[in-house]
Amino acid sequence: MKKTIILTALLGALVLVSYGQSVTLYNTNIVDVENGKIIPGMTVSVKDGIITKIAKAKKKIKRNQTDYTGAYLMPGLIDSHTHWGNFTMTPEYMRDMAESYIADGVTTVRDAGGDVRIVKRYEAKLDSGNIVEPSVYTSSFWAGPKYYGGRARQDTRGYETVNAPWSQEITDSTSLEHLEKIIIEAKVYGCTGLKLYNDISYDMLKKIVPLCHKHGVKPWGHFAIFPATAMDVVKAGVETVSHTYLIDGKEGFTSEFKAKCFSQAEIERRDSIFREMARLGTILDATIKICMTNNMEFAARYTNEAYRAGVKIAAGTDWVYMEGDRMKSAFLDELDLLADSCGMSIPDVLRAATTVGAEIIGQAGRLGVIRKGAEADLLVLKSNPLESLKALRQRIALYLDGKEVK
Ligand SMILES: [Zn+2]
């Protein structure tokens, strides 16, 4: 098969190497993240970015197959909380961010609110073959008037109206018809979810969530949306809630509350919310690394409470940081913290980073798993990640849509 180099345009940029349309990964150990086990000695065929066949490896490798004997193959990782299209971002910043994510093995991100025009502009470059980046699933960002407070709207600057498909101010009196109209607008614009952020009431959430379901848009929100409390957000059916630390609402930020947050009464109050989440299947996007960096260690203990109550937990970072003068993804650090500080088992941390992330963005079975018909976003690792998360830091290869990224 003819070997083609798709891009080398940017010096020092990631290079996507394609060996024609298909690639076959010979004799690898598949990491079955769903069942937390290894399926040894398998050959995985990929065509046009999709896994087309998985079979027991033959005794001898064929020509054109890539030998991964002894290596471990796992699905690409999913960051369930990023801000990809931030209005402050320059193209250089976007490229740095993309490269730092790819370096961590992240092949998909959920953008939890930003200027989707920037994401689209960047994707256009991607189509031109100059840039490699994770797949981005975008949100339309919604908040009430108290949040906007008359400030100039940065994320819609330059657009024909103050509100835009990716950013909407709503009030308690926004009509059902208008809500439906702007949900459809968000969907048509390419947003896969709504980020329900601030100053939205329980009554409004109860109107918004069914409309999301009707139109196939994912309802995502902050854990507390003020005035809607954490329990309101869960009961309204918001599918994914972000930031464990918000469970206490505004009171949680006071020193009086901090002194009693691990009292029996408060533990039980949180537990009633976590149990409701476990019952409804609400996913907790915990965002631990950013809390630990801001002296909010209690968030890790809260997340452990959620975990023990049976809540499904996702891996979201909500940030990238600077290492020297380069952007650095916090994703692998987030996974380490979910294990070490939140007490999650390694198989559950791997699920948080794959299958749970896929469920959040409505791509269960297509992303975050290695199976026939799934997208070929793949990591080839030297050692078994089910034994140690350190394995994620020792990568042999990464495939994005079936193409190797060098
Ligand atoms: Zn965020």
PDB file of all heavy atoms in Angstrom, residues 81 83 112 195 243 318, ligand 1:
ATOM      1  N   HIS A  81     -14.265  18.011  30.282  1.00  0.00           N
ATOM      2  CA  HIS A  81     -14.482  19.430  30.604  1.00  0.00           C
ATOM      3  C   HIS A  81     -13.277  20.270  30.184  1.00  0.00           C
ATOM      4  O   HIS A  81     -12.277  20.341  30.882  1.00  0.00           O
ATOM      5  CB  HIS A  81     -14.716  19.579  32.120  1.00  0.00           C
ATOM      6  CG  HIS A  81     -15.230  20.925  32.514  1.00  0.00           C
ATOM      7  ND1 HIS A  81     -16.166  21.087  33.517  1.00  0.00           N
ATOM      8  CD2 HIS A  81     -14.956  22.175  32.063  1.00  0.00           C
ATOM      9  CE1 HIS A  81     -16.427  22.373  33.662  1.00  0.00           C
ATOM     10  NE2 HIS A  81     -15.705  23.051  32.787  1.00  0.00           N
ATOM     11  N   HIS A  83     -12.252  24.155  27.936  1.00  0.00           N
ATOM     12  CA  HIS A  83     -12.779  25.387  27.326  1.00  0.00           C
ATOM     13  C   HIS A  83     -11.941  25.641  26.098  1.00  0.00           C
ATOM     14  O   HIS A  83     -10.938  26.327  26.139  1.00  0.00           O
ATOM     15  CB  HIS A  83     -12.755  26.543  28.324  1.00  0.00           C
ATOM     16  CG  HIS A  83     -13.742  26.303  29.417  1.00  0.00           C
ATOM     17  ND1 HIS A  83     -15.078  26.585  29.263  1.00  0.00           N
ATOM     18  CD2 HIS A  83     -13.616  25.707  30.618  1.00  0.00           C
ATOM     19  CE1 HIS A  83     -15.726  26.197  30.352  1.00  0.00           C
ATOM     20  NE2 HIS A  83     -14.868  25.656  31.188  1.00  0.00           N
ATOM     21  N   ALA A 112     -16.857  22.924  27.345  1.00  0.00           N
ATOM     22  CA  ALA A 112     -17.960  23.255  28.255  1.00  0.00           C
ATOM     23  C   ALA A 112     -18.268  24.744  28.242  1.00  0.00           C
ATOM     24  O   ALA A 112     -18.466  25.367  29.270  1.00  0.00           O
ATOM     25  CB  ALA A 112     -17.608  22.774  29.663  1.00  0.00           C
ATOM     26  N   LYS A 195     -24.540  24.069  28.087  1.00  0.00           N
ATOM     27  CA  LYS A 195     -23.893  24.252  29.373  1.00  0.00           C
ATOM     28  C   LYS A 195     -24.757  25.216  30.169  1.00  0.00           C
ATOM     29  O   LYS A 195     -24.792  26.413  29.896  1.00  0.00           O
ATOM     30  CB  LYS A 195     -22.480  24.818  29.178  1.00  0.00           C
ATOM     31  CG  LYS A 195     -21.813  25.309  30.456  1.00  0.00           C
ATOM     32  CD  LYS A 195     -21.287  24.176  31.323  1.00  0.00           C
ATOM     33  CE  LYS A 195     -20.513  24.697  32.527  1.00  0.00           C
ATOM     34  NZ  LYS A 195     -19.103  24.895  32.285  1.00  0.00           N
ATOM     35  N   HIS A 243     -18.110  20.005  38.694  1.00  0.00           N
ATOM     36  CA  HIS A 243     -17.477  20.540  39.910  1.00  0.00           C
ATOM     37  C   HIS A 243     -18.126  19.999  41.187  1.00  0.00           C
ATOM     38  O   HIS A 243     -19.124  20.557  41.663  1.00  0.00           O
ATOM     39  CB  HIS A 243     -17.505  22.077  39.963  1.00  0.00           C
ATOM     40  CG  HIS A 243     -17.028  22.731  38.713  1.00  0.00           C
ATOM     41  ND1 HIS A 243     -15.782  22.464  38.160  1.00  0.00           N
ATOM     42  CD2 HIS A 243     -17.621  23.631  37.880  1.00  0.00           C
ATOM     43  CE1 HIS A 243     -15.641  23.197  37.062  1.00  0.00           C
ATOM     44  NE2 HIS A 243     -16.736  23.892  36.859  1.00  0.00           N
ATOM     45  N   ASP A 318     -11.125  21.139  33.127  1.00  0.00           N
ATOM     46  CA  ASP A 318     -11.518  22.549  33.171  1.00  0.00           C
ATOM     47  C   ASP A 318     -10.333  23.498  32.975  1.00  0.00           C
ATOM     48  O   ASP A 318     -10.493  24.699  33.136  1.00  0.00           O
ATOM     49  CB  ASP A 318     -12.233  22.855  34.507  1.00  0.00           C
ATOM     50  CG  ASP A 318     -13.023  24.153  34.465  1.00  0.00           C
ATOM     51  OD1 ASP A 318     -13.332  24.614  33.346  1.00  0.00           O
ATOM     52  OD2 ASP A 318     -13.329  24.699  35.528  1.00  0.00           O
TER      53      ASP A 318
HETATM   54 ZN    ZN B   1     -15.433  25.086  33.090  1.00  0.00          ZN
END
